[in-house]
């Protein structure tokens, strides 16, 4: 019973965080392992766009 409750709480926390942190982590990893400056620049631009989307979503809520 206690384990089930903890599992549900963990799933709820993961859902609340959403896709953004995971996607940003992926972009950070991708950019840091790239030897091409163009790929790194694109990753940075994507992170900026993700942050802009987050701000727009907050404004809607």
């Amino acid at each position: 019973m206690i384990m089930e409750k903890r599992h549900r709480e963990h799933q709820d926390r993961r859902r609340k965080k959403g896709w953004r942190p995971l996607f940003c982590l992926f972009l950070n990893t991708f950019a840091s392992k790239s030897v091409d400056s163009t790929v790194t620049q694109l990753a940075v631009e994507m992170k900026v766009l993700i942050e802009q989307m987050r701000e727009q979503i907050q404004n809607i809520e």
Side-chain angles (χ1 to χ4, degrees):
M1 176 88 167
I2 293 173
M3 293 299 284
E4 290 174 8
K5 182 179 178 185
R6 286 184 182 165
H7 181 69
R8 273 186 267 123
E9 289 171 354
H10 177 68
Q11 286 179 328
D12 289 342
R13 281 193 304 269
R14 283 180 49 195
R15 262 188 235 116
K16 287 178 186 175
K17 289 181 182 178
W19 57 270
R20 191 180 59 82
L22 183 61
F23 199 71
C24 286
L25 177 65
F26 169 76
L27 283 173
N28 286 339
T29 304
F30 189 69
S32 68
K33 293 182 184 284
S34 172
V35 292
D36 186 0
S37 62
T38 305
V39 173
T40 303
Q41 182 61 35
L42 287 171
V44 170
E45 289 176 20
M46 287 180 70
K47 286 182 69 175
V48 168
L49 291 172
I50 290 169
E51 186 62 25
Q52 289 173 351
M53 288 189 315
R54 183 194 64 78
E55 290 174 358
Q56 290 178 0
I57 290 169
Q58 275 187 332
N59 288 338
I60 292 170
E61 293 175 343

